[in-house]
Amino acid sequence: MRKSLLIVPVVVALALTSCAGSPQGGGPALETDDLLVTTPAAVGDLDLATWNLPLGEPASLDPIKAFNYPENTVVANLCEGLMQLQPDYSIKPGLAESVESPDASTYIYTIRQGVQFWDGTEMTADDVLFSLNRQLDPEEGSYWAGGLVGNIKSIEKTGDWEVTVSLTNPDATFNSYMVTPIGTVVQQAQREAAGEDYGTPTGLVMCTGPFSVGAWNQGQSISLVRNDNYWNEEKRAKTAQLDISFIVDAAAISNALSTGEIDGSYDLPLTALSTLDSATNGELYLGRSLQIVAIIGTGNGAFADPAVRQALMMATDREAIAATVFEGTAQASRSLIPNNGWAYGNKVFEEGRGTLRETAVDIEGAKEVLKDATADLSQPIKIVYPSERTYYADIISEIANGARAIGLTVEPTGVPSAQFGAFFSDPEAREGSDAFVTNNYMDVPDPLAFLRTIIGTDGSQNYNGYSEPDVDQLLLDAAAANDEDERAGIVNELQERAMKDLPWIPIVDPSVRLFMNERVTGVPASFVYLYYPWAADLGAAK
Amino acid sequence: MILEERTSVFFVIRRVIALIGVLIVSSFLVFAGMYAAPGSPENFLVQGRTVTPEVLAAIRRQYSLDDPFFVRYWNWLTSVLQGNFGQSLTNRQDVGDLLANRLPTTLALVAMAAILIIVIGIGLGILAGTRDGIVDKLVLLASNLGFAVPTFFAALILLSLFSVTLGWFPVFGSGEGFLDRLWHLTLPALALSLPSAAVVARITRTAIRDERDSEHSIMARARGVGRSLVLRRHVIRNSMLPVTTVVGVHIAGLIAGSFVVEYAFTLDGIGTLLVNAVQRKDFAVVQAIAIIMVAAFGIINLLVDLLYAAIDPRVRLGVKS
């Protein structure tokens, strides 16, 4: 008697909790053809707004340790670089008034005068020199070291308000990196005074941006307060205080946004999408992005055979993945370069992309390609993913479906998130598997900079030992090409080569997923929120 | 001369020394466990993004991650004895500061849940134990529900109903200021206390019924002593012994169980801090929290024993019952 009485309330409870979640697969139909660059401009100021970082709390505010979503999303509003990335991907002068580049190995920056740090002291060329040199100092341990920074020969103060950077090899992409923390300027005195505490809640930072740090309640929230002495009057923050929370659980994020407790968020979890799309208190925006989801080969097993990779790509229904796993908010990837991931040579890149194979499934074609394979096709191919992120399992299952159709076996293998991180830095961690997933992004809207990391012999994201001397030469040629269209042309060649050799299989290009309460508006919808002071544009919607 | 052994100062001192021994052994085991687990901390710091091997080596140097096991354990032990719990690998913060920031939320949550367990659990138990009929049956049903529904589930239901749908309580966070914090922690404390309150209610009910039917209380009634006096002095007071043990055990377990509720309600307590620290192999933080939990458990058990002595004169006087 008592047991059956129990069933009723439990069933009711189950029904209640399922209302908070969202249906699996087949979400709302969202258009991706017109991805946004900006959201409607704010019409007024706000005293207080709330935001969320779905990927967790920043580990540090030190720009040289800001190398991932949470840190960069916050630091972009606090500290500034010599150049500034704009929502339309163009690059404008920031703390540098202008830059001269007599050749691709020399960059002469004229430092802007009259810029104050939050404490009122003036920014000088010495601060700039100090900040840039931090990248080269092994004691500082900058996460941005290597690659581009490794190519810097010297950084010198060549005038009262002038700093010159000389590179070892010519690199036309260098200036665009000045929008990232590589080019960020911090106050030398405060860095030296704070010592080991720099970037922590006790040491903080001292920068020039439109916001400074208010309270930082570890584990709960961080407050950004408007800098009323910001040097750029036009870009003065419209919100006096922005409280940023660190909720990572998808259901909790969904609840907080749909009840209005939080005003907005980037990087919305996929499972929260259908709830938020039908929310009545705000709007879901999809923006132009520089992100890509791909499968990275480790150089082991059957996956090491390029014919196998090509066949798998052709047999996988990537358009279905974009429509179901990403609920229509992504596009199947035609290239390793995300669609529209460029800020120069637009026509050239569009044409080049048009010559690549289309993304539709082609089982017959895949079987043809597989005939050229030399590896042992009977071994199962293990693709590793972080087990907490179940959408990867869905993606790999779809790949496994395609694989089965052409006679291959693909096994999704989950490992705990904490261990998965090691795949990107420890070759030993990659030993027992054939491939692993990545949700990757271009640091700057320059296809050359991105491709270089994947197909260059010492590329920072080259995890499978891909090394072709002619590719390396093409990369150097592209980096030395001053003319943008010429550079774009060489990069197109590299792109074609990359899609032929396919060291990574590109799956989809996700869009930016942004939600804003109807009370606020103004932030960019495009993927610039890691380096552009997006919070300064946030203001009242009515 | 009757020995007041249980409440003597020596008793307390001996227990404290034993607790310190337990703390050292458990800290060693936790350290060994973390050491043996796969993965290394510096890799988690830069999850999903690639840094140069030099940067990883710099991090290892900074935290002495390459020193041998016993050296690291000894260094940690000696600095703890000097009051320095080390630095968090994840965000370079002083562990003491980190804990001071996060501990109040967990303590408040556990305290509120403890009060709820005592009030709801013992209250309902007494109600069911002293009355028969519909009240008793309702309390039994409620307690069955209480331990059938797991904490996480209860949390989600409460959240969905009272926060999202009705909007009476906040959806996340632990609030600032005394009253705000109470408001934020009401649902979490309720969710945390439910299974324990259910158990306590059952045990109390059973204990009360046993006492009601015991020889001495029947005798007292037969001699004409008033009903409520019998209830207070004979029934309830005597039944408090088993009840105190159960309440004590459950409250001690609340600290460990709090992390489930902290996760569901996105609270900044030490539970979620512990889970993250274990995943990222943040040795110093895990060690510190493990010590706190073991110490809390030991202290609560000690208090329960002292409470025993206060309630039961037989225990105090060392007389066999």
Side-chain angles (χ1 to χ4, degrees):
Chain A
M1 162 65 175
R2 282 189 207 116
K3 285 201 179 104
S4 61
L5 271 178
L6 200 53
I7 293 175
V8 173
V10 172
V11 166
V12 168
L14 273 168
L16 269 177
T17 47
S18 67
C19 290
S22 64
Q24 281 292 63
L30 296 163
E31 286 300 305
T32 54
D33 284 341
D34 296 0
L35 291 174
L36 300 170
V37 171
T38 53
T39 57
V43 299
D45 280 12
L46 282 172
D47 285 330
L48 176 67
T50 49
W51 205 260
N52 187 54
L53 296 175
L55 294 163
E57 182 172 7
S60 168
L61 292 182
D62 184 355
I64 66 175
K65 305 263 194 287
F67 194 52
N68 215 325
Y69 287 88
E71 291 78 21
N72 287 117
T73 307
V74 173
V75 171
N77 299 299
L78 302 174
C79 304
E80 308 180 280
L82 292 178
M83 306 299 283
Q84 192 187 71
L85 183 64
Q86 303 301 309
D88 64 358
Y89 293 168
S90 61
I91 291 177
K92 292 216 170 81
L95 292 180
E97 219 169 60
S98 62
V99 57
E100 255 178 68
S101 179
D103 57 69
S105 306
T106 315
Y107 295 85
I108 305 169
Y109 293 96
T110 305
I111 308 302
R112 193 180 296 275
Q113 297 180 40
V115 175
Q116 288 180 349
F117 289 108
W118 303 325
D119 63 2
T121 59
E122 203 179 339
M123 179 190 80
T124 66
D126 292 316
D127 292 303
V128 175
L129 188 68
F130 171 76
S131 304
L132 294 179
N133 270 307
R134 291 184 74 209
Q135 304 294 339
L136 304 177
D137 183 356
E139 286 307 300
E140 289 274 30
S142 168
Y143 290 175
W144 292 88
L148 188 99
V149 171
N151 187 32
I152 297 179
K153 195 168 67 177
S154 70
I155 308 174
E156 281 162 4
K157 183 175 167 190
T158 49
D160 281 340
W161 294 97
E162 193 179 88
V163 171
T164 302
V165 180
S166 305
L167 305 178
T168 317
N169 293 319
D171 184 359
T173 70
F174 181 80
N175 188 50
S176 56
Y177 271 92
M178 291 295 103
V179 309
T180 70
I182 295 179
T184 295
V185 178
V186 301
Q187 190 195 65
Q188 177 173 7
Q190 195 263 350
R191 160 72 191 100
E192 287 166 348
E196 277 203 352
D197 284 340
Y198 194 63
T200 68
T202 27
L204 296 178
V205 292
M206 177 57 63
C207 283
T208 58
F211 287 92
S212 63
V213 186
W216 184 354
N217 296 321
Q218 280 256 303
Q220 250 213 112
S221 65
I222 184 171
S223 287
L224 303 188
V225 289
R226 174 167 55 212
N227 172 12
D228 289 312
N229 295 326
Y230 186 49
W231 61 270
N232 191 345
E233 299 262 333
E234 286 165 41
K235 293 294 230 167
R236 182 178 171 278
K238 299 192 168 64
T239 302
Q241 182 176 327
L242 182 66
D243 289 345
I244 305 179
S245 301
F246 316 125
I247 311 176
V248 298
D249 179 57
I253 292 172
S254 202
N255 286 341
L257 288 171
S258 52
T259 55
E261 267 191 57
I262 295 201
D263 290 320
S265 174
Y266 284 110
D267 303 316
L268 300 171
L270 293 171
T271 44
L273 283 178
S274 46
T275 315
L276 293 174
D277 192 45
S278 50
T280 49
N281 66 336
E283 188 102 12
L284 177 65
Y285 297 90
L286 295 179
R288 271 229 227 144
S289 186
L290 298 172
Q291 295 162 303
I292 189 166
V293 173
I295 311 290
I296 304 179
T298 58
N300 301 329
F303 200 81
D305 187 334
V308 169
R309 296 196 294 268
Q310 197 72 234
L312 268 178
M313 184 175 77
M314 294 165 75
T316 303
D317 192 349
R318 295 177 292 161
E319 287 168 356
I321 293 176
T324 55
V325 179
F326 286 84
E327 313 226 357
T329 64
Q331 298 168 296
S333 298
R334 201 160 174 184
S335 164
L336 276 174
I337 299 167
N339 196 9
N340 290 319
W342 46 80
Y344 65 89
N346 295 6
K347 267 206 139 77
V348 183
F349 281 125
E350 273 162 36
E351 270 166 29
R353 196 179 182 86
T355 65
L356 298 173
R357 177 184 292 121
E358 305 219 346
T359 55
V361 180
D362 182 5
I363 302 287
E364 291 314 312
K367 287 184 184 162
E368 270 304 307
V369 169
L370 203 54
K371 290 185 182 153
D372 296 330
T374 51
D376 174 14
L377 302 179
S378 61
Q379 324 166 23
I381 297 171
K382 285 212 170 98
I383 304 184
V384 176
Y385 68 97
S387 42
E388 278 93 3
R389 307 224 180 260
T390 49
Y391 69 90
Y392 282 125
D394 295 337
I395 295 176
I396 303 177
S397 298
E398 188 57 49
I399 300 176
N401 278 343
R404 216 171 304 127
I406 59 174
L408 294 173
T409 319
V410 163
E411 275 176 17
T413 310
V415 307
S417 279
Q419 274 170 259
F420 184 72
F423 273 69
F424 293 89
S425 41
D426 187 2
E428 274 180 42
R430 304 195 279 270
E431 267 316 297
S433 52
D434 305 326
F436 57 105
V437 297
T438 180
N439 200 327
N440 218 296
Y441 58 91
M442 302 170 78
D443 279 322
V444 292
D446 190 335
L448 173 60
F450 189 60
L451 271 184
R452 192 163 56 187
T453 62
I454 302 171
I455 60 178
T457 297
D458 289 316
S460 58
Q461 303 200 89
N462 185 343
Y463 302 110
N464 41 35
Y466 179 85
S467 179
E468 300 288 324
D470 50 333
V471 168
D472 287 334
Q473 187 53 49
L474 274 176
L475 287 170
L476 287 173
D477 293 342
N482 269 317
D483 177 70
E484 291 183 336
D485 282 345
E486 189 196 331
R487 198 177 338 140
I490 304 178
V491 174
N492 272 342
E493 274 183 63
L494 286 163
Q495 175 179 239
E496 230 182 280
R497 189 58 189 278
M499 289 311 287
K500 187 162 126 320
D501 295 340
L502 223 52
W504 293 14
I505 299 181
I507 304 292
V508 296
D509 300 341
S511 318
V512 170
R513 303 183 292 272
L514 162 69
F515 181 86
M516 284 195 297
N517 190 298
E518 58 195 357
R519 169 182 108 91
V520 304
T521 185
V523 302
S526 61
F527 192 75
V528 295
Y529 52 91
L530 298 185
Y531 309 125
Y532 170 82
W534 54 273
D537 293 344
L538 182 70
K542 3 193 175 89
Chain B
M1 170 74 175
I2 293 164
L3 298 166
E4 298 199 349
E5 199 196 333
R6 281 285 178 134
T7 48
S8 74
V9 180
F10 292 120
F11 172 67
V12 177
I13 291 181
R14 272 212 309 278
R15 285 291 291 267
V16 171
I17 293 177
L19 184 60
I20 294 180
V22 169
L23 283 176
I24 294 184
V25 171
S26 58
S27 74
F28 184 80
L29 289 174
V30 169
F31 200 88
M34 294 272 290
Y35 200 80
S40 40
E42 69 279 5
N43 283 321
F44 308 146
L45 271 183
V46 292
Q47 269 209 52
R49 296 270 284 168
T50 314
V51 293
T52 60
E54 287 79 29
V55 173
L56 293 176
I59 299 174
R60 290 193 74 85
R61 261 199 321 272
Q62 186 183 14
Y63 289 97
S64 315
L65 294 177
D66 288 322
D67 287 349
F69 174 72
F70 282 105
V71 170
R72 288 172 62 188
Y73 181 71
W74 183 251
N75 286 340
W76 175 80
L77 194 60
T78 43
S79 40
V80 164
L81 291 173
Q82 289 163 22
N84 175 11
F85 281 86
Q87 248 191 1
S88 160
L89 258 148
T90 312
N91 53 20
R92 290 154 200 264
Q93 248 211 314
D94 180 52
V95 172
D97 288 341
L98 198 56
L99 288 177
N101 209 296
R102 309 281 284 248
L103 208 49
T105 302
T106 303
L107 287 179
L109 176 64
V110 168
M112 283 179 71
I115 293 173
L116 284 173
I117 289 176
I118 293 173
V119 168
I120 297 178
I122 298 182
L124 286 181
I126 292 178
L127 207 62
T130 52
R131 273 156 244 261
D132 296 310
I134 189 84
V135 172
D136 184 31
K137 297 228 179 341
L138 275 178
V139 172
L140 276 177
L141 173 65
S143 78
N144 277 338
L145 225 86
F147 36 77
V149 177
T151 307
F152 196 73
F153 209 59
L156 287 179
I157 298 175
L158 288 171
L159 191 60
S160 177
L161 189 58
F162 293 105
S163 299
V164 180
T165 312
L166 290 172
W168 292 351
F169 291 95
V171 168
F172 70 95
S174 58
E176 275 152 61
F178 183 67
L179 284 176
D180 193 36
R181 188 157 272 191
L182 241 98
W183 181 49
H184 273 85
L185 294 180
T186 305
L187 290 185
L190 200 56
L192 187 57
S193 65
L194 277 175
S196 306
V199 173
V200 168
R202 286 300 282 268
I203 304 269
T204 309
R205 174 187 172 278
T206 309
I208 297 251
R209 281 176 178 256
D210 283 347
E211 284 302 317
R212 247 177 45 181
D213 302 333
S214 69
E215 250 184 58
H216 61 93
S217 53
I218 292 178
M219 272 305 295
R221 293 290 309 282
R223 279 182 10 236
V225 180
R227 203 161 169 252
S228 68
L229 197 65
V230 172
L231 206 61
R232 265 197 339 265
R233 192 180 292 170
H234 295 278
V235 177
I236 292 185
R237 186 149 175 201
N238 284 2
S239 60
M240 283 301 107
L241 269 179
V243 171
T244 312
T245 316
V246 172
V247 170
V249 166
H250 277 266
I251 290 183
L254 280 183
I255 302 177
S258 70
F259 91 84
V260 171
V261 165
E262 281 176 25
Y263 182 78
F265 287 89
T266 324
L267 302 175
D268 58 334
I270 61 174
T272 41
L273 182 61
L274 177 64
V275 172
N276 284 332
V278 167
Q279 283 185 329
R280 298 168 148 249
K281 301 202 74 180
D282 199 341
F283 284 84
V285 177
V286 176
Q287 291 287 88
I289 298 180
I291 288 186
I292 290 178
M293 287 188 173
V294 173
F297 205 89
I299 291 173
I300 292 179
N301 280 330
L302 177 57
L303 288 175
V304 168
D305 278 353
L306 291 178
L307 201 59
Y308 243 60
I311 296 174
D312 190 346
R314 298 171 300 181
V315 168
R316 208 186 309 146
L317 300 174
V319 172
K320 287 212 197 333
S321 63

